[in-house]
Amino acid sequence: MKTQNSFAYLEAKGKSKVWEAYAENCAGEEIMEEGFNPNSGYVYLALENGITIASSFGQEVDFIFYDFDTDEEIFFNSFEEFENYLTEQNEK
């Protein structure tokens, strides 16, 4: 993971929300990368299980799933919404 000595206020707020969501929903999942996308403003944790937890400008987190079959990013407002999506996909 990248080490940085200081963070802007909204970046720090976003990081705290991302880590809180990780602790509540994904603790124990392997972290592939922690980062900041200057183009989107997202701070994020990319996990080995295929989900990314992200917050833009300190807002609530999004759970982002990358679908390798469709080359599409799918955004979810909650981890429960993401789990429901996976259940639906597995039932197809």
Side-chain angles (χ1 to χ4, degrees), residues 33-82:
E33 181 179 6
E34 177 187 25
F36 173 70
N37 181 328
N39 296 320
S40 66
Y42 274 108
V43 293
Y44 63 87
L45 283 178
L47 307 179
E48 290 286 339
N49 67 1
I51 190 113
T52 298
I53 306 169
S55 173
S56 183
F57 302 108
Q59 300 298 310
E60 294 303 313
V61 298
D62 289 316
F63 295 89
I64 307 167
F65 177 70
Y66 180 74
D67 188 329
F68 289 97
D69 295 329
T70 63
D71 198 34
E72 174 183 30
E73 286 184 327
I74 305 167
F75 287 71
F76 301 96
N77 294 322
S78 69
F79 192 74
E80 181 180 3
E81 193 178 311
F82 167 66

Side-chain angles (χ1 to χ4, degrees), residues 1-7 11 15 33-38:
M1 285 189 256
K2 180 180 105 173
T3 302
Q4 188 172 331
N5 292 332
S6 66
F7 301 98
E11 187 178 355
K15 282 175 118 5
E33 181 179 6
E34 177 187 25
F36 173 70
N37 181 328

